[in-house]
Amino acid sequence: MMEKYLYIAGALALTVYGQLILKARALVHAPSAASLPKFSYIWAMYTDVGVLSGLLAGVLASVCWALAIEKLDLGLAYPFMALSFVVVPLSASFLFSEPVSLRQFVGLCVIVVGIALSTVGR
């Protein structure tokens, strides 16, 4: 029973990791590539081990997702993936000091309430 929710958690965690590591590595490569052609930035990004790990995380997230929806109704599983829209901005605020406005925070709360409403009692 719990296994199917672990697959969703895995898909969510890997998705969040992928987004955050791409941002972290972009912050490293963007300043040095500012005066160079975009190709140099893209090359630096796609030859970076951190970026490659983020892309691998995306592939592994899709494997977890496939295993999750094998065992769960899509209507139950899919709302949980919306948590990435909450976790990524909050994590970016903590890790990269990106601002979260009051309006954005309220929106994130609405997402959480929506997930709760769509999954409780199923």
Side-chain angles (χ1 to χ4, degrees), residues 70-110:
E70 171 194 10
K71 300 184 180 302
L72 285 168
D73 291 344
L74 193 56
L76 175 61
Y78 199 69
F80 286 106
M81 291 311 294
L83 284 173
S84 67
F85 295 107
V86 175
V87 177
V88 169
L90 293 178
S91 297
S93 176
F94 177 74
L95 295 171
F96 309 122
S97 300
E98 292 186 2
V100 176
S101 68
L102 178 59
R103 183 179 298 198
Q104 184 180 12
F105 184 75
V106 170
L108 298 176
C109 291
V110 169

PDB file of all heavy atoms in Angstrom, residues 70-110:
ATOM      1  N   GLU A  70       1.025   3.194 -12.343  1.00  0.00           N
ATOM      2  CA  GLU A  70       0.645   1.793 -12.551  1.00  0.00           C
ATOM      3  C   GLU A  70      -0.243   1.332 -11.395  1.00  0.00           C
ATOM      4  O   GLU A  70      -1.149   0.536 -11.573  1.00  0.00           O
ATOM      5  CB  GLU A  70       1.907   0.929 -12.630  1.00  0.00           C
ATOM      6  CG  GLU A  70       1.638  -0.567 -12.620  1.00  0.00           C
ATOM      7  CD  GLU A  70       2.875  -1.396 -12.354  1.00  0.00           C
ATOM      8  OE1 GLU A  70       3.928  -0.837 -11.986  1.00  0.00           O
ATOM      9  OE2 GLU A  70       2.769  -2.611 -12.508  1.00  0.00           O
ATOM     10  N   LYS A  71       0.011   1.874 -10.212  1.00  0.00           N
ATOM     11  CA  LYS A  71      -0.662   1.406  -9.007  1.00  0.00           C
ATOM     12  C   LYS A  71      -1.767   2.339  -8.508  1.00  0.00           C
ATOM     13  O   LYS A  71      -2.569   1.942  -7.687  1.00  0.00           O
ATOM     14  CB  LYS A  71       0.365   1.201  -7.900  1.00  0.00           C
ATOM     15  CG  LYS A  71       1.424   0.177  -8.279  1.00  0.00           C
ATOM     16  CD  LYS A  71       2.365  -0.069  -7.142  1.00  0.00           C
ATOM     17  CE  LYS A  71       3.426  -1.082  -7.485  1.00  0.00           C
ATOM     18  NZ  LYS A  71       2.960  -2.378  -7.887  1.00  0.00           N
ATOM     19  N   LEU A  72      -1.777   3.577  -8.977  1.00  0.00           N
ATOM     20  CA  LEU A  72      -2.744   4.565  -8.491  1.00  0.00           C
ATOM     21  C   LEU A  72      -3.543   5.152  -9.645  1.00  0.00           C
ATOM     22  O   LEU A  72      -3.037   5.254 -10.763  1.00  0.00           O
ATOM     23  CB  LEU A  72      -2.020   5.723  -7.788  1.00  0.00           C
ATOM     24  CG  LEU A  72      -1.461   5.481  -6.410  1.00  0.00           C
ATOM     25  CD1 LEU A  72      -0.532   6.622  -6.019  1.00  0.00           C
ATOM     26  CD2 LEU A  72      -2.564   5.343  -5.396  1.00  0.00           C
ATOM     27  N   ASP A  73      -4.755   5.568  -9.362  1.00  0.00           N
ATOM     28  CA  ASP A  73      -5.529   6.321 -10.346  1.00  0.00           C
ATOM     29  C   ASP A  73      -4.790   7.625 -10.629  1.00  0.00           C
ATOM     30  O   ASP A  73      -4.249   8.266  -9.710  1.00  0.00           O
ATOM     31  CB  ASP A  73      -6.919   6.658  -9.811  1.00  0.00           C
ATOM     32  CG  ASP A  73      -7.817   5.445  -9.669  1.00  0.00           C
ATOM     33  OD1 ASP A  73      -7.492   4.387 -10.258  1.00  0.00           O
ATOM     34  OD2 ASP A  73      -8.836   5.556  -8.961  1.00  0.00           O
ATOM     35  N   LEU A  74      -4.771   8.021 -11.876  1.00  0.00           N
ATOM     36  CA  LEU A  74      -4.101   9.254 -12.266  1.00  0.00           C
ATOM     37  C   LEU A  74      -4.716  10.456 -11.554  1.00  0.00           C
ATOM     38  O   LEU A  74      -4.011  11.378 -11.152  1.00  0.00           O
ATOM     39  CB  LEU A  74      -4.164   9.428 -13.783  1.00  0.00           C
ATOM     40  CG  LEU A  74      -3.276  10.482 -14.397  1.00  0.00           C
ATOM     41  CD1 LEU A  74      -1.817  10.272 -14.026  1.00  0.00           C
ATOM     42  CD2 LEU A  74      -3.429  10.477 -15.904  1.00  0.00           C
ATOM     43  N   GLY A  75      -6.038  10.431 -11.364  1.00  0.00           N
ATOM     44  CA  GLY A  75      -6.723  11.526 -10.684  1.00  0.00           C
ATOM     45  C   GLY A  75      -6.311  11.682  -9.234  1.00  0.00           C
ATOM     46  O   GLY A  75      -6.425  12.771  -8.662  1.00  0.00           O
ATOM     47  N   LEU A  76      -5.825  10.617  -8.628  1.00  0.00           N
ATOM     48  CA  LEU A  76      -5.325  10.695  -7.259  1.00  0.00           C
ATOM     49  C   LEU A  76      -3.846  11.054  -7.242  1.00  0.00           C
ATOM     50  O   LEU A  76      -3.401  11.872  -6.439  1.00  0.00           O
ATOM     51  CB  LEU A  76      -5.537   9.360  -6.541  1.00  0.00           C
ATOM     52  CG  LEU A  76      -4.961   9.250  -5.129  1.00  0.00           C
ATOM     53  CD1 LEU A  76      -5.603  10.277  -4.196  1.00  0.00           C
ATOM     54  CD2 LEU A  76      -5.134   7.852  -4.580  1.00  0.00           C
ATOM     55  N   ALA A  77      -3.076  10.480  -8.144  1.00  0.00           N
ATOM     56  CA  ALA A  77      -1.626  10.669  -8.137  1.00  0.00           C
ATOM     57  C   ALA A  77      -1.211  12.056  -8.629  1.00  0.00           C
ATOM     58  O   ALA A  77      -0.304  12.673  -8.061  1.00  0.00           O
ATOM     59  CB  ALA A  77      -0.961   9.594  -8.998  1.00  0.00           C
ATOM     60  N   TYR A  78      -1.857  12.536  -9.678  1.00  0.00           N
ATOM     61  CA  TYR A  78      -1.386  13.745 -10.344  1.00  0.00           C
ATOM     62  C   TYR A  78      -1.382  14.992  -9.464  1.00  0.00           C
ATOM     63  O   TYR A  78      -0.424  15.770  -9.534  1.00  0.00           O
ATOM     64  CB  TYR A  78      -2.184  13.997 -11.625  1.00  0.00           C
ATOM     65  CG  TYR A  78      -1.467  14.921 -12.561  1.00  0.00           C
ATOM     66  CD1 TYR A  78      -0.307  14.524 -13.203  1.00  0.00           C
ATOM     67  CD2 TYR A  78      -1.915  16.220 -12.772  1.00  0.00           C
ATOM     68  CE1 TYR A  78       0.380  15.368 -14.054  1.00  0.00           C
ATOM     69  CE2 TYR A  78      -1.243  17.073 -13.617  1.00  0.00           C
ATOM     70  CZ  TYR A  78      -0.098  16.643 -14.255  1.00  0.00           C
ATOM     71  OH  TYR A  78       0.586  17.490 -15.079  1.00  0.00           O
ATOM     72  N   PRO A  79      -2.372  15.214  -8.623  1.00  0.00           N
ATOM     73  CA  PRO A  79      -2.322  16.418  -7.784  1.00  0.00           C
ATOM     74  C   PRO A  79      -1.067  16.499  -6.914  1.00  0.00           C
ATOM     75  O   PRO A  79      -0.574  17.592  -6.639  1.00  0.00           O
ATOM     76  CB  PRO A  79      -3.580  16.319  -6.924  1.00  0.00           C
ATOM     77  CG  PRO A  79      -4.528  15.539  -7.778  1.00  0.00           C
ATOM     78  CD  PRO A  79      -3.665  14.530  -8.487  1.00  0.00           C
ATOM     79  N   PHE A  80      -0.522  15.359  -6.517  1.00  0.00           N
ATOM     80  CA  PHE A  80       0.681  15.394  -5.692  1.00  0.00           C
ATOM     81  C   PHE A  80       1.869  15.995  -6.433  1.00  0.00           C
ATOM     82  O   PHE A  80       2.752  16.592  -5.830  1.00  0.00           O
ATOM     83  CB  PHE A  80       1.030  13.990  -5.182  1.00  0.00           C
ATOM     84  CG  PHE A  80       0.122  13.506  -4.097  1.00  0.00           C
ATOM     85  CD1 PHE A  80      -0.831  12.542  -4.361  1.00  0.00           C
ATOM     86  CD2 PHE A  80       0.212  14.029  -2.815  1.00  0.00           C
ATOM     87  CE1 PHE A  80      -1.680  12.095  -3.359  1.00  0.00           C
ATOM     88  CE2 PHE A  80      -0.634  13.590  -1.809  1.00  0.00           C
ATOM     89  CZ  PHE A  80      -1.586  12.616  -2.083  1.00  0.00           C
ATOM     90  N   MET A  81       1.887  15.846  -7.746  1.00  0.00           N
ATOM     91  CA  MET A  81       2.982  16.419  -8.515  1.00  0.00           C
ATOM     92  C   MET A  81       2.934  17.948  -8.491  1.00  0.00           C
ATOM     93  O   MET A  81       3.951  18.599  -8.695  1.00  0.00           O
ATOM     94  CB  MET A  81       2.980  15.892  -9.948  1.00  0.00           C
ATOM     95  CG  MET A  81       3.351  14.411 -10.035  1.00  0.00           C
ATOM     96  SD  MET A  81       4.852  13.964  -9.119  1.00  0.00           S
ATOM     97  CE  MET A  81       6.090  14.848 -10.038  1.00  0.00           C
ATOM     98  N   ALA A  82       1.759  18.510  -8.212  1.00  0.00           N
ATOM     99  CA  ALA A  82       1.645  19.965  -8.089  1.00  0.00           C
ATOM    100  C   ALA A  82       2.429  20.483  -6.888  1.00  0.00           C
ATOM    101  O   ALA A  82       2.726  21.678  -6.809  1.00  0.00           O
ATOM    102  CB  ALA A  82       0.178  20.379  -7.984  1.00  0.00           C
ATOM    103  N   LEU A  83       2.789  19.585  -5.975  1.00  0.00           N
ATOM    104  CA  LEU A  83       3.611  20.009  -4.843  1.00  0.00           C
ATOM    105  C   LEU A  83       4.965  20.536  -5.294  1.00  0.00           C
ATOM    106  O   LEU A  83       5.596  21.325  -4.586  1.00  0.00           O
ATOM    107  CB  LEU A  83       3.799  18.859  -3.854  1.00  0.00           C
ATOM    108  CG  LEU A  83       2.603  18.546  -2.970  1.00  0.00           C
ATOM    109  CD1 LEU A  83       2.859  17.289  -2.161  1.00  0.00           C
ATOM    110  CD2 LEU A  83       2.283  19.721  -2.056  1.00  0.00           C
ATOM    111  N   SER A  84       5.409  20.144  -6.481  1.00  0.00           N
ATOM    112  CA  SER A  84       6.674  20.678  -6.981  1.00  0.00           C
ATOM    113  C   SER A  84       6.580  22.195  -7.174  1.00  0.00           C
ATOM    114  O   SER A  84       7.564  22.911  -6.995  1.00  0.00           O
ATOM    115  CB  SER A  84       7.097  19.995  -8.288  1.00  0.00           C
ATOM    116  OG  SER A  84       6.217  20.323  -9.338  1.00  0.00           O
ATOM    117  N   PHE A  85       5.385  22.691  -7.496  1.00  0.00           N
ATOM    118  CA  PHE A  85       5.180  24.129  -7.660  1.00  0.00           C
ATOM    119  C   PHE A  85       5.210  24.861  -6.321  1.00  0.00           C
ATOM    120  O   PHE A  85       5.274  26.090  -6.289  1.00  0.00           O
ATOM    121  CB  PHE A  85       3.858  24.416  -8.374  1.00  0.00           C
ATOM    122  CG  PHE A  85       3.839  23.915  -9.781  1.00  0.00           C
ATOM    123  CD1 PHE A  85       3.093  22.799 -10.117  1.00  0.00           C
ATOM    124  CD2 PHE A  85       4.593  24.526 -10.771  1.00  0.00           C
ATOM    125  CE1 PHE A  85       3.084  22.324 -11.413  1.00  0.00           C
ATOM    126  CE2 PHE A  85       4.595  24.055 -12.069  1.00  0.00           C
ATOM    127  CZ  PHE A  85       3.833  22.948 -12.394  1.00  0.00           C
ATOM    128  N   VAL A  86       5.160  24.110  -5.242  1.00  0.00           N
ATOM    129  CA  VAL A  86       5.266  24.688  -3.899  1.00  0.00           C
ATOM    130  C   VAL A  86       6.697  24.525  -3.377  1.00  0.00           C
ATOM    131  O   VAL A  86       7.310  25.478  -2.900  1.00  0.00           O
ATOM    132  CB  VAL A  86       4.259  24.021  -2.934  1.00  0.00           C
ATOM    133  CG1 VAL A  86       4.432  24.521  -1.515  1.00  0.00           C
ATOM    134  CG2 VAL A  86       2.830  24.231  -3.425  1.00  0.00           C
ATOM    135  N   VAL A  87       7.213  23.317  -3.493  1.00  0.00           N
ATOM    136  CA  VAL A  87       8.517  23.001  -2.907  1.00  0.00           C
ATOM    137  C   VAL A  87       9.659  23.730  -3.621  1.00  0.00           C
ATOM    138  O   VAL A  87      10.579  24.230  -2.967  1.00  0.00           O
ATOM    139  CB  VAL A  87       8.751  21.473  -2.895  1.00  0.00           C
ATOM    140  CG1 VAL A  87      10.128  21.131  -2.370  1.00  0.00           C
ATOM    141  CG2 VAL A  87       7.677  20.775  -2.053  1.00  0.00           C
ATOM    142  N   VAL A  88       9.598  23.812  -4.942  1.00  0.00           N
ATOM    143  CA  VAL A  88      10.698  24.455  -5.678  1.00  0.00           C
ATOM    144  C   VAL A  88      10.829  25.937  -5.313  1.00  0.00           C
ATOM    145  O   VAL A  88      11.924  26.381  -4.950  1.00  0.00           O
ATOM    146  CB  VAL A  88      10.580  24.233  -7.200  1.00  0.00           C
ATOM    147  CG1 VAL A  88      11.560  25.106  -7.970  1.00  0.00           C
ATOM    148  CG2 VAL A  88      10.807  22.765  -7.548  1.00  0.00           C
ATOM    149  N   PRO A  89       9.765  26.741  -5.379  1.00  0.00           N
ATOM    150  CA  PRO A  89       9.944  28.162  -5.013  1.00  0.00           C
ATOM    151  C   PRO A  89      10.359  28.373  -3.554  1.00  0.00           C
ATOM    152  O   PRO A  89      11.181  29.246  -3.268  1.00  0.00           O
ATOM    153  CB  PRO A  89       8.573  28.794  -5.268  1.00  0.00           C
ATOM    154  CG  PRO A  89       7.864  27.865  -6.165  1.00  0.00           C
ATOM    155  CD  PRO A  89       8.412  26.501  -5.893  1.00  0.00           C
ATOM    156  N   LEU A  90       9.806  27.567  -2.643  1.00  0.00           N
ATOM    157  CA  LEU A  90      10.199  27.724  -1.240  1.00  0.00           C
ATOM    158  C   LEU A  90      11.657  27.324  -1.034  1.00  0.00           C
ATOM    159  O   LEU A  90      12.395  27.985  -0.297  1.00  0.00           O
ATOM    160  CB  LEU A  90       9.267  26.925  -0.330  1.00  0.00           C
ATOM    161  CG  LEU A  90       7.822  27.419  -0.265  1.00  0.00           C
ATOM    162  CD1 LEU A  90       6.984  26.512   0.632  1.00  0.00           C
ATOM    163  CD2 LEU A  90       7.753  28.863   0.192  1.00  0.00           C
ATOM    164  N   SER A  91      12.081  26.265  -1.705  1.00  0.00           N
ATOM    165  CA  SER A  91      13.480  25.844  -1.619  1.00  0.00           C
ATOM    166  C   SER A  91      14.405  26.879  -2.253  1.00  0.00           C
ATOM    167  O   SER A  91      15.486  27.166  -1.732  1.00  0.00           O
ATOM    168  CB  SER A  91      13.675  24.493  -2.304  1.00  0.00           C
ATOM    169  OG  SER A  91      12.930  23.496  -1.652  1.00  0.00           O
ATOM    170  N   ALA A  92      13.981  27.446  -3.374  1.00  0.00           N
ATOM    171  CA  ALA A  92      14.786  28.482  -4.041  1.00  0.00           C
ATOM    172  C   ALA A  92      14.907  29.714  -3.152  1.00  0.00           C
ATOM    173  O   ALA A  92      15.955  30.373  -3.141  1.00  0.00           O
ATOM    174  CB  ALA A  92      14.175  28.844  -5.388  1.00  0.00           C
ATOM    175  N   SER A  93      13.865  30.008  -2.411  1.00  0.00           N
ATOM    176  CA  SER A  93      13.923  31.137  -1.485  1.00  0.00           C
ATOM    177  C   SER A  93      14.964  30.872  -0.402  1.00  0.00           C
ATOM    178  O   SER A  93      15.771  31.747  -0.066  1.00  0.00           O
ATOM    179  CB  SER A  93      12.549  31.359  -0.855  1.00  0.00           C
ATOM    180  OG  SER A  93      12.610  32.382   0.105  1.00  0.00           O
ATOM    181  N   PHE A  94      14.959  29.666   0.112  1.00  0.00           N
ATOM    182  CA  PHE A  94      15.896  29.296   1.171  1.00  0.00           C
ATOM    183  C   PHE A  94      17.324  29.165   0.646  1.00  0.00           C
ATOM    184  O   PHE A  94      18.263  29.691   1.241  1.00  0.00           O
ATOM    185  CB  PHE A  94      15.433  27.983   1.812  1.00  0.00           C
ATOM    186  CG  PHE A  94      16.360  27.462   2.865  1.00  0.00           C
ATOM    187  CD1 PHE A  94      16.435  28.060   4.109  1.00  0.00           C
ATOM    188  CD2 PHE A  94      17.169  26.366   2.615  1.00  0.00           C
ATOM    189  CE1 PHE A  94      17.300  27.581   5.087  1.00  0.00           C
ATOM    190  CE2 PHE A  94      18.036  25.878   3.584  1.00  0.00           C
ATOM    191  CZ  PHE A  94      18.100  26.485   4.818  1.00  0.00           C
ATOM    192  N   LEU A  95      17.495  28.471  -0.479  1.00  0.00           N
ATOM    193  CA  LEU A  95      18.835  28.166  -0.984  1.00  0.00           C
ATOM    194  C   LEU A  95      19.485  29.313  -1.752  1.00  0.00           C
ATOM    195  O   LEU A  95      20.701  29.492  -1.699  1.00  0.00           O
ATOM    196  CB  LEU A  95      18.782  26.933  -1.889  1.00  0.00           C
ATOM    197  CG  LEU A  95      18.398  25.618  -1.216  1.00  0.00           C
ATOM    198  CD1 LEU A  95      18.170  24.540  -2.253  1.00  0.00           C
ATOM    199  CD2 LEU A  95      19.468  25.204  -0.220  1.00  0.00           C
ATOM    200  N   PHE A  96      18.668  30.066  -2.506  1.00  0.00           N
ATOM    201  CA  PHE A  96      19.214  31.086  -3.404  1.00  0.00           C
ATOM    202  C   PHE A  96      18.774  32.496  -3.035  1.00  0.00           C
ATOM    203  O   PHE A  96      18.998  33.432  -3.793  1.00  0.00           O
ATOM    204  CB  PHE A  96      18.815  30.785  -4.851  1.00  0.00           C
ATOM    205  CG  PHE A  96      19.110  29.378  -5.283  1.00  0.00           C
ATOM    206  CD1 PHE A  96      18.095  28.556  -5.744  1.00  0.00           C
ATOM    207  CD2 PHE A  96      20.404  28.865  -5.227  1.00  0.00           C
ATOM    208  CE1 PHE A  96      18.356  27.255  -6.153  1.00  0.00           C
ATOM    209  CE2 PHE A  96      20.671  27.571  -5.631  1.00  0.00           C
ATOM    210  CZ  PHE A  96      19.641  26.756  -6.084  1.00  0.00           C
ATOM    211  N   SER A  97      18.099  32.624  -1.929  1.00  0.00           N
ATOM    212  CA  SER A  97      17.584  33.918  -1.464  1.00  0.00           C
ATOM    213  C   SER A  97      16.663  34.577  -2.477  1.00  0.00           C
ATOM    214  O   SER A  97      16.624  35.804  -2.599  1.00  0.00           O
ATOM    215  CB  SER A  97      18.739  34.865  -1.116  1.00  0.00           C
ATOM    216  OG  SER A  97      19.531  34.309  -0.095  1.00  0.00           O
ATOM    217  N   GLU A  98      15.921  33.753  -3.219  1.00  0.00           N
ATOM    218  CA  GLU A  98      14.941  34.309  -4.153  1.00  0.00           C
ATOM    219  C   GLU A  98      13.717  34.762  -3.365  1.00  0.00           C
ATOM    220  O   GLU A  98      13.270  34.072  -2.445  1.00  0.00           O
ATOM    221  CB  GLU A  98      14.544  33.266  -5.202  1.00  0.00           C
ATOM    222  CG  GLU A  98      15.672  32.917  -6.142  1.00  0.00           C
ATOM    223  CD  GLU A  98      15.244  31.992  -7.267  1.00  0.00           C
ATOM    224  OE1 GLU A  98      14.049  31.630  -7.356  1.00  0.00           O
ATOM    225  OE2 GLU A  98      16.121  31.625  -8.067  1.00  0.00           O
ATOM    226  N   PRO A  99      13.171  35.905  -3.699  1.00  0.00           N
ATOM    227  CA  PRO A  99      12.027  36.403  -2.931  1.00  0.00           C
ATOM    228  C   PRO A  99      10.753  35.603  -3.200  1.00  0.00           C
ATOM    229  O   PRO A  99      10.541  35.091  -4.290  1.00  0.00           O
ATOM    230  CB  PRO A  99      11.861  37.842  -3.433  1.00  0.00           C
ATOM    231  CG  PRO A  99      12.457  37.828  -4.801  1.00  0.00           C
ATOM    232  CD  PRO A  99      13.563  36.809  -4.773  1.00  0.00           C
ATOM    233  N   VAL A 100       9.943  35.490  -2.160  1.00  0.00           N
ATOM    234  CA  VAL A 100       8.590  34.935  -2.284  1.00  0.00           C
ATOM    235  C   VAL A 100       7.665  36.029  -1.762  1.00  0.00           C
ATOM    236  O   VAL A 100       7.661  36.330  -0.568  1.00  0.00           O
ATOM    237  CB  VAL A 100       8.410  33.636  -1.470  1.00  0.00           C
ATOM    238  CG1 VAL A 100       6.972  33.149  -1.536  1.00  0.00           C
ATOM    239  CG2 VAL A 100       9.368  32.557  -1.956  1.00  0.00           C
ATOM    240  N   SER A 101       6.920  36.611  -2.681  1.00  0.00           N
ATOM    241  CA  SER A 101       6.022  37.695  -2.282  1.00  0.00           C
ATOM    242  C   SER A 101       4.829  37.126  -1.513  1.00  0.00           C
ATOM    243  O   SER A 101       4.553  35.921  -1.551  1.00  0.00           O
ATOM    244  CB  SER A 101       5.516  38.441  -3.515  1.00  0.00           C
ATOM    245  OG  SER A 101       4.652  37.605  -4.270  1.00  0.00           O
ATOM    246  N   LEU A 102       4.126  38.005  -0.849  1.00  0.00           N
ATOM    247  CA  LEU A 102       2.928  37.587  -0.122  1.00  0.00           C
ATOM    248  C   LEU A 102       1.919  36.972  -1.102  1.00  0.00           C
ATOM    249  O   LEU A 102       1.324  35.931  -0.812  1.00  0.00           O
ATOM    250  CB  LEU A 102       2.304  38.774   0.619  1.00  0.00           C
ATOM    251  CG  LEU A 102       1.012  38.471   1.380  1.00  0.00           C
ATOM    252  CD1 LEU A 102       1.244  37.381   2.423  1.00  0.00           C
ATOM    253  CD2 LEU A 102       0.470  39.731   2.023  1.00  0.00           C
ATOM    254  N   ARG A 103       1.761  37.584  -2.250  1.00  0.00           N
ATOM    255  CA  ARG A 103       0.824  37.074  -3.256  1.00  0.00           C
ATOM    256  C   ARG A 103       1.236  35.668  -3.707  1.00  0.00           C
ATOM    257  O   ARG A 103       0.409  34.778  -3.849  1.00  0.00           O
ATOM    258  CB  ARG A 103       0.775  38.017  -4.451  1.00  0.00           C
ATOM    259  CG  ARG A 103      -0.230  37.600  -5.490  1.00  0.00           C
ATOM    260  CD  ARG A 103      -0.265  38.569  -6.627  1.00  0.00           C
ATOM    261  NE  ARG A 103      -0.678  39.871  -6.090  1.00  0.00           N
ATOM    262  CZ  ARG A 103      -1.146  40.856  -6.811  1.00  0.00           C
ATOM    263  NH1 ARG A 103      -1.251  40.732  -8.103  1.00  0.00           N
ATOM    264  NH2 ARG A 103      -1.496  41.988  -6.257  1.00  0.00           N
ATOM    265  N   GLN A 104       2.528  35.479  -3.938  1.00  0.00           N
ATOM    266  CA  GLN A 104       3.010  34.154  -4.351  1.00  0.00           C
ATOM    267  C   GLN A 104       2.808  33.142  -3.225  1.00  0.00           C
ATOM    268  O   GLN A 104       2.394  32.008  -3.467  1.00  0.00           O
ATOM    269  CB  GLN A 104       4.485  34.212  -4.740  1.00  0.00           C
ATOM    270  CG  GLN A 104       5.017  32.892  -5.273  1.00  0.00           C
ATOM    271  CD  GLN A 104       6.474  32.971  -5.663  1.00  0.00           C
ATOM    272  OE1 GLN A 104       7.174  33.928  -5.345  1.00  0.00           O
ATOM    273  NE2 GLN A 104       6.954  31.956  -6.354  1.00  0.00           N
ATOM    274  N   PHE A 105       3.080  33.548  -1.995  1.00  0.00           N
ATOM    275  CA  PHE A 105       2.893  32.652  -0.857  1.00  0.00           C
ATOM    276  C   PHE A 105       1.431  32.225  -0.729  1.00  0.00           C
ATOM    277  O   PHE A 105       1.146  31.055  -0.485  1.00  0.00           O
ATOM    278  CB  PHE A 105       3.378  33.315   0.444  1.00  0.00           C
ATOM    279  CG  PHE A 105       3.291  32.406   1.622  1.00  0.00           C
ATOM    280  CD1 PHE A 105       4.214  31.381   1.796  1.00  0.00           C
ATOM    281  CD2 PHE A 105       2.270  32.565   2.550  1.00  0.00           C
ATOM    282  CE1 PHE A 105       4.117  30.532   2.889  1.00  0.00           C
ATOM    283  CE2 PHE A 105       2.172  31.723   3.638  1.00  0.00           C
ATOM    284  CZ  PHE A 105       3.101  30.697   3.815  1.00  0.00           C
ATOM    285  N   VAL A 106       0.526  33.164  -0.902  1.00  0.00           N
ATOM    286  CA  VAL A 106      -0.908  32.825  -0.868  1.00  0.00           C
ATOM    287  C   VAL A 106      -1.221  31.833  -1.984  1.00  0.00           C
ATOM    288  O   VAL A 106      -1.955  30.856  -1.777  1.00  0.00           O
ATOM    289  CB  VAL A 106      -1.780  34.103  -0.956  1.00  0.00           C
ATOM    290  CG1 VAL A 106      -3.244  33.749  -1.173  1.00  0.00           C
ATOM    291  CG2 VAL A 106      -1.607  34.950   0.304  1.00  0.00           C
ATOM    292  N   GLY A 107      -0.668  32.049  -3.160  1.00  0.00           N
ATOM    293  CA  GLY A 107      -0.877  31.124  -4.271  1.00  0.00           C
ATOM    294  C   GLY A 107      -0.370  29.726  -3.953  1.00  0.00           C
ATOM    295  O   GLY A 107      -1.018  28.727  -4.283  1.00  0.00           O
ATOM    296  N   LEU A 108       0.786  29.648  -3.300  1.00  0.00           N
ATOM    297  CA  LEU A 108       1.333  28.352  -2.906  1.00  0.00           C
ATOM    298  C   LEU A 108       0.408  27.664  -1.902  1.00  0.00           C
ATOM    299  O   LEU A 108       0.191  26.447  -1.973  1.00  0.00           O
ATOM    300  CB  LEU A 108       2.735  28.521  -2.324  1.00  0.00           C
ATOM    301  CG  LEU A 108       3.789  29.101  -3.264  1.00  0.00           C
ATOM    302  CD1 LEU A 108       5.114  29.297  -2.531  1.00  0.00           C
ATOM    303  CD2 LEU A 108       3.970  28.257  -4.500  1.00  0.00           C
ATOM    304  N   CYS A 109      -0.152  28.443  -0.994  1.00  0.00           N
ATOM    305  CA  CYS A 109      -1.112  27.888  -0.028  1.00  0.00           C
ATOM    306  C   CYS A 109      -2.360  27.379  -0.732  1.00  0.00           C
ATOM    307  O   CYS A 109      -2.905  26.322  -0.375  1.00  0.00           O
ATOM    308  CB  CYS A 109      -1.471  28.930   1.028  1.00  0.00           C
ATOM    309  SG  CYS A 109      -0.106  29.325   2.141  1.00  0.00           S
ATOM    310  N   VAL A 110      -2.813  28.094  -1.741  1.00  0.00           N
ATOM    311  CA  VAL A 110      -3.986  27.659  -2.512  1.00  0.00           C
ATOM    312  C   VAL A 110      -3.704  26.321  -3.195  1.00  0.00           C
ATOM    313  O   VAL A 110      -4.563  25.439  -3.233  1.00  0.00           O
ATOM    314  CB  VAL A 110      -4.407  28.741  -3.532  1.00  0.00           C
ATOM    315  CG1 VAL A 110      -5.430  28.207  -4.512  1.00  0.00           C
ATOM    316  CG2 VAL A 110      -4.938  29.967  -2.810  1.00  0.00           C
TER     317      VAL A 110
END
